[in-house]
Amino acid sequence: MTKAPLLLATALFAGLSSATAQNVPPEATPFQMQGNIYLPKKLPATPERVASLKVPAGFTISKYAEGLDAPRMLAQAPNGDLYVSNRVKGTVTLLRDANKDGKVELTQQVAQKPHLHGLALKDGKLYMAAVRELYVADVKPDGTLGELKTLYSDLPDAGQHANRTLQFGPDGQLYLSVGSTCNACDEDNPESATLLQVNTDGSGRRIFATGLRNTIGFDWHPTTKALFGMDHGIDWLGDETQQEEFNQLKQGANYGWPSIIADGKPYPANKPKSGESYEQFDAKAVRPLLLYKAHSAPLGLVFNRSTQLPADYKNSAFVTMHGSWNRAQPSGYKIVRVRFNEQGQPQQFEDFATGWLVENDKSEFGRPCAIVQAADGALLVSDDDNGVIYRIAYAGNPANKNKKRG
């Protein structure tokens, strides 16, 4: 893959206000949209490059599995078996580290349906989301799956954001993220650009939260049980706008897309569909708690629930930044940590695992995707660009680098 050329795309749009009763022509609203396309050159994840990755003192990072075909979402069973999806081929693959040495020995495809992506495990069953379908299958004692049964086949159409994701909440309910069909538009289907709460017996589903352009990663705070997620910002507003949003997701709340962006700014191309003014609509919308560098593309989000990490990491969240494609200087291509205070509120982002961008940010050898936490506290991270799953483990005192990983 060679470096893509830098492309400046600029367009002038006119947003029209409602005509008056006298049919007076509405005033035009000038609105300039612009952006850059830059794809870093792709490099292989050689041992030397992996060794150059940076993690905090006391942590190690290694290849847990490699040679995979575009591994995307992850779900881990209580016995340590790891399931990984491939959205292009629509497969689910079982990975097993039988001798617990930190490296996978068994790789076995266990399911295939078009566009399988989101995965979630509960009570011996694996739930799998495609674009319009939600499937479930029993997990057999050997880790393979029984027949895939269809729970839903009428989820919203795909469009721009087709990657449905799944998580079980502390309430036992299954949550399903449905991205928007577009960059910014008024959706026809009320379930688009939402987080859904679904019944696992196929009897129905409910809209939990709206106005979410594409919230792929979400998880619940271990102590407060509050739900948090990262939403993707609108493209083609320049390199720095709109930033990615870290939200607390509440039932019945609207998060502003596509009319309100970031910290309350109006988006002129999409006036509130309700007919309200921007100010009225914003007053009812929920603003993000934190903002992160635009176009970084957050994908995976998981809270630390392990006591095997340092006490300073208690209730921290980890977010994979898949990496930009539409800004002049690349952003993302890393894993960040979100620090929370004792009251359960997010305070700041900080780098956790970096180094996938190399050669002065002109090239990359990995794009972090999904992230889960194993029973031993280690973080397992998929890289759908280089076919790798990484294991980030805490080894204790940095002086004990040769200590066997648990």
Side-chain angles (χ1 to χ4, degrees), residues 104-351:
V104 165
E105 297 91 31
L106 172 69
T107 302
Q108 181 180 359
Q109 182 179 314
V110 294
Q112 185 168 23
K113 290 281 188 181
H115 312 299
L116 287 181
H117 188 253
L119 304 174
L121 278 160
K122 187 174 177 62
D123 299 332
K125 298 179 184 296
L126 180 65
Y127 296 81
M128 296 155 277
V131 176
R132 301 204 67 199
E133 298 83 17
L134 177 64
Y135 302 100
V136 64
D138 292 326
V139 179
K140 297 180 179 180
D142 64 357
T144 61
L145 302 181
E147 178 188 359
L148 271 64
K149 300 177 182 178
T150 304
L151 292 175
Y152 300 106
S153 58
D154 61 345
L155 295 171
D157 290 330
Q160 184 170 332
H161 300 119
N163 300 319
R164 316 301 188 218
T165 52
L166 298 170
Q167 293 284 356
F168 274 97
D171 57 3
Q173 296 289 314
L174 182 59
Y175 291 76
L176 190 156
S177 177
V178 179
S180 65
T181 62
C182 58
N183 178 43
C185 65
D186 293 325
E187 297 282 9
D188 293 326
N189 191 325
E191 289 187 330
S192 294
T194 68
L195 183 66
L196 302 179
Q197 200 180 56
V198 307
N199 294 333
T200 53
D201 62 1
S203 62
R205 57 186 184 259
R206 302 157 295 283
I207 295 175
F208 183 82
T210 61
L212 297 167
R213 180 175 179 269
N214 195 28
T215 296
I216 290 179
F218 56 96
D219 195 10
W220 288 260
H221 189 281
T223 302
T224 67
K225 310 304 180 187
L227 175 58
F228 294 89
M230 284 212 69
D231 200 34
H232 290 205
I234 293 173
D235 295 327
W236 307 117
L237 295 177
D239 282 357
E240 305 302 334
T241 306
Q242 174 204 350
Q243 292 176 286
E244 318 290 29
E245 300 183 359
F246 190 80
N247 294 304
Q248 181 177 344
L249 303 176
K250 301 177 181 180
Q251 187 167 8
N254 184 294
Y255 292 83
W257 180 91
S259 299
I260 299 294
I261 63 176
D263 53 353
K265 296 181 178 66
Y267 181 65
N270 287 94
K271 295 184 177 180
K273 194 175 182 180
S274 61
E276 299 168 288
S277 68
Y278 284 110
E279 293 76 12
Q280 292 170 326
F281 186 77
D282 179 48
K284 296 191 299 184
V286 179
R287 292 186 181 180
L289 300 176
L290 295 176
L291 295 171
Y292 192 80
K293 187 179 289 292
H295 310 299
S296 296
L299 288 192
L301 190 158
V302 67
F303 276 95
N304 170 40
R305 293 177 170 83
S306 175
T307 58
Q308 299 190 42
L309 270 59
D312 182 53
Y313 284 82
K314 181 180 180 181
N315 296 337
S316 287
F318 298 97
V319 181
T320 58
M321 298 295 178
H322 197 231
S324 64
W325 58 269
N326 55 343
R327 71 192 318 267
Q329 298 299 320
S331 62
Y333 300 91
K334 62 174 65 174
I335 304 169
V336 301
R337 172 190 178 190
V338 186
R339 284 183 178 267
F340 278 71
N341 62 21
E342 294 183 358
Q343 290 72 45
Q345 292 301 305
Q347 298 300 292
Q348 65 186 49
F349 291 101
E350 59 185 43
D351 286 350

Side-chain angles (χ1 to χ4, degrees), residues 22-59:
Q22 291 78 26
N23 293 321
V24 176
E27 293 183 2
T29 303
F31 180 49
Q32 181 170 303
M33 302 182 73
Q34 61 182 5
N36 297 290
I37 294 177
Y38 184 89
L39 299 174
K41 178 183 177 181
K42 179 181 174 181
L43 301 172
T46 62
E48 294 76 18
R49 292 193 178 105
V50 173
S52 71
L53 292 170
K54 296 178 176 60
V55 290
F59 287 86

